[in-house]
Amino acid sequence: MPEPLHTMTAATTPSVIIIGGGFGGLSAARALARAPVHVTLIDRHNYHLFQPLLYQVATAGLAPNTIAAPIRAILRRQANATVLMEAVTGIDAAKRSVLIGEKHLDYDFLVIATGARHAYFGHGDWERFAPGIKTLADALTIRQHVLAAFEAAEICHESNERRRLLNFVLVGAGPTGVEFAGAIAELAKVSLAHDFCRINPSDARIILIEAGPRILPSFPPKLSAAAQQALEKLGVEVRLGKAVTLCDADGVVLAGERIEARNILWAAGVAASPAATWLNVAADRAGRIEVLEDLSVPGHPEIFAIGDTCVSKSWNGKSAPGIAPAAKQMGRHVAAVIRAHVEETSSPPPFRYRHQGSLATIGRNKAVVDFIWMTLSGRLAWLLWAFAHIYFLIGFRSRVVVALDWLWAYVTFRRGARIILGETGDAVMAPQPQRS
Ligand SMILES: Cc1cc2nc3c(=O)[nH]c(=O)nc-3n(C[C@H](O)[C@H](O)[C@H](O)COP(=O)(O)OP(=O)(O)OC[C@H]3O[C@@H](n4cnc5c(N)ncnc54)[C@H](O)[C@@H]3O)c2cc1C
């Protein structure tokens, strides 16, 4: 018999449990601040993560604490909210209980906002050779691998191995792959360019692979072309129309051609959290729960799934995209639906996703912006991108620190977070170099 968790809920106050303190879960919790409910937000981490800037942590542009904020601190003024740092392991929908290992916590309403991870299209074994970036730990591991590869190349005496160490392959040319490729190119060709004696970091090859016919497929073709041109100007090799058929410790195979590399980064495909399995409900191929118009789970009007872990045909009949604004809008919507239930008022109209635009940066002074009614590329787009990311970061301190870090990097061409944690040989993806 699972052990009940202590809750601070008074018996008469409806209990809302939110699983996940990402963009969706946090926006639902905040929107319930004045509702007559008790909110328990459970996350396996103690921080909310601003994922759009993860690649900057992975490429030594920003320190990790600038893009993560403690959930407890964010909600500290919300009297009706409790935060628990726990990893949810299942849901007993019949008993209205969230399972946390041997413990359980009962709910009246449940919001599942557990996000997604990367998908390897049936090749889960590739993950150890080609890590994806989703958590702060992923970003720090990748930063370690990328910086350690230059260090290993500096002391490597075997030319083929040195070449492999300085080859960086990125799989997937959506916004994450494109931003990553641009940032690694700038790191190698600008920030590190004069810091080594025996290697020239500018010799690094950055290869961006996309199975589709163009990069940034969700943007208009002319912005894809502008972004590709900007990447190529930075020295990134863009390989289109061919899928990776093998990933191993020595690199990737692309339509029969082997590209040798010690650093492979995965930015292709997402798989939702196991929430659909927990509930045993219908899911799409990516594992996302197919929700109803009010974002509730079919057959469970008291359970809602939002953000990256659901699929909602709420964008003029199309699925809402897996981006932060969609998760936030969904969070606010389920809060309104729950409030209407509790206060016995009329339910809000069905959820409709409102798209405000898409942005991606390629590097210093280069970005693409698609506002639907207007598209932009170049420096103005980059300024808009930078402004939007600073504006949406949580916390005044983070905004100021990120703005100052970017200003510093802009003026000096340096990257401030180039620390390799651990010692030589500790957790670096690159194998031990040969020493003379
Ligand atoms: C590298 C990267 C770059 C991105 N760039 C952009 C961008 O530029 N613009 C944009 O709009 N979107 C971007 N996105 C997408 C955006 O971040 C997601 O769409 C958004 O985070 C989805 O919000 P969510 O609340 O559904 O999930 P998330 O924000 O992922 O939050 C899920 C939360 O659930 C928690 N959790 C998961 N499982 C459990 C469990 N079992 N128990 C307890 N807690 C759990 C996690 O710790 C996490 O805090 C990017 C994503 C990535 C990975």
Side-chain angles (χ1 to χ4, degrees):
M1 181 70 182
E3 171 198 333
L5 269 177
H6 170 70
T7 80
M8 295 168 74
T9 316
T12 50
T13 309
S15 159
V16 179
I17 294 185
I18 299 172
I19 315 174
F23 287 103
L26 205 53
S27 99
R30 285 167 142 180
L32 286 167
R34 291 182 210 291
V37 296
H38 186 85
V39 176
T40 305
L41 190 149
I42 308 174
D43 199 295
R44 59 185 170 197
H45 299 124
N46 79 332
Y47 56 82
H48 166 79
L49 182 62
F50 193 78
Q51 290 174 8
L53 291 179
L54 263 179
Y55 81 96
Q56 292 238 346
V57 172
T59 52
L62 290 173
N65 61 338
T66 56
I67 64 158
I71 298 172
R72 208 169 275 294
I74 298 169
L75 294 178
R76 72 180 181 280
R77 294 212 177 86
Q78 190 166 326
N80 72 344
T82 303
V83 177
L84 297 180
M85 184 182 159
E86 295 272 14
V88 169
T89 50
I91 295 165
D92 185 337
K95 291 188 180 151
R96 298 196 174 187
S97 248
V98 166
L99 309 178
I100 302 167
E102 291 299 298
K103 299 173 279 188
H104 72 92
L105 191 58
D106 298 340
Y107 61 82
D108 297 300
F109 298 95
L110 176 63
V111 179
I112 307 171
T114 39
R117 277 201 67 81
H118 12 268
Y120 287 82
F121 310 117
H123 298 280
D125 53 312
W126 291 356
E127 186 167 8
R128 67 197 170 107
F129 308 116
I133 186 170
K134 189 70 192 168
T135 66
L136 215 43
D138 295 338
L140 290 173
T141 306
I142 290 173
R143 182 179 83 179
Q144 178 121 332
H145 291 164
V146 169
L147 295 176
F150 288 99
E151 298 295 338
E154 174 80 346
I155 51 172
C156 179
H157 290 269
E158 209 274 300
S159 59
N160 284 333
E161 179 58 13
R162 202 163 50 236
R163 188 174 40 75
R164 279 190 284 272
L165 286 165
L166 292 180
N167 281 357
F168 296 86
V169 168
L170 291 114
V171 186
T176 302
V178 165
E179 294 186 337
F180 230 136
I184 295 180
E186 285 196 334
L187 177 73
K189 294 172 195 287
V190 183
S191 309
L192 298 181
H194 306 293
D195 289 7
F196 289 83
C197 300
R198 296 173 59 184
I199 57 160
N200 180 0
S202 315
D203 290 342
R205 268 180 82 197
I206 296 106
I207 303 138
L208 177 64
I209 297 172
E210 167 59 45
R214 62 187 174 98
I215 68 167
L216 296 178
S218 59
F219 284 69
K222 88 171 183 197
L223 290 186
S224 297
Q228 182 169 341
Q229 206 179 14
L231 278 176
E232 286 170 345
K233 223 169 158 184
L234 276 174
V236 175
E237 296 171 36
V238 179
R239 310 287 289 266
L240 299 173
K242 286 177 188 159
V244 166
T245 50
L246 180 79
C247 272
D248 61 23
D250 292 324
V252 296
V253 174
L254 187 65
E257 176 199 358
R258 180 169 270 284
I259 302 175
E260 294 191 323
R262 290 283 178 232
N263 266 293
I264 311 167
L265 304 171
W266 193 264
V270 287
S273 74
T277 321
W278 291 341
L279 290 169
N280 197 18
V281 293
D284 71 354
R285 278 174 52 204
R288 300 178 299 174
I289 297 176
E290 292 168 3
V291 290
L292 301 176
E293 283 186 328
D294 63 351
L295 304 177
S296 68
V297 175
H300 299 280
E302 74 290 359
I303 305 181
F304 304 85
I306 61 174
D308 283 3
T309 212
C310 82
V311 57
S312 145
K313 300 263 180 219
S314 52
W315 187 11
N316 304 327
K318 290 185 296 175
S319 299
I323 57 173
K328 287 188 190 174
Q329 289 176 27
M330 290 181 191
R332 288 193 288 270
H333 186 84
V334 295
V337 174
I338 291 171
R339 196 165 180 162
H341 273 296
V342 173
E343 293 177 340
E344 297 180 351
T345 55
S346 54
S347 297
F351 174 69
R352 291 280 164 264
Y353 167 67
R354 287 185 178 77
H355 190 63
Q356 284 137 3
S358 309
L359 304 90
T361 180
I362 298 102
R364 188 186 173 82
N365 286 335
K366 297 174 199 83
V368 287
V369 171
D370 173 21
F371 283 139
I372 313 273
W373 48 274
M374 178 185 79
T375 58
L376 276 177
S377 59
R379 183 180 299 206
L380 185 57
W382 180 73
L383 285 171
L384 268 172
W385 173 90
F387 177 78
H389 283 71
I390 289 171
Y391 179 80
F392 286 113
L393 267 174
I394 286 187
F396 177 72
R397 183 186 169 278
S398 292
R399 287 186 195 131
V400 173
V401 174
V402 169
L404 288 176
D405 272 359
W406 283 351
L407 187 64
W408 176 254
Y410 191 81
V411 175
T412 63
F413 290 84
R414 311 298 294 170
R415 284 173 177 257
R418 279 172 40 194
I419 304 304
I420 299 177
L421 302 169
E423 298 174 11
T424 49
D426 272 1
V428 288
M429 190 149 66
Q432 283 302 286
Q434 297 172 4
R435 289 162 202 265
S436 54

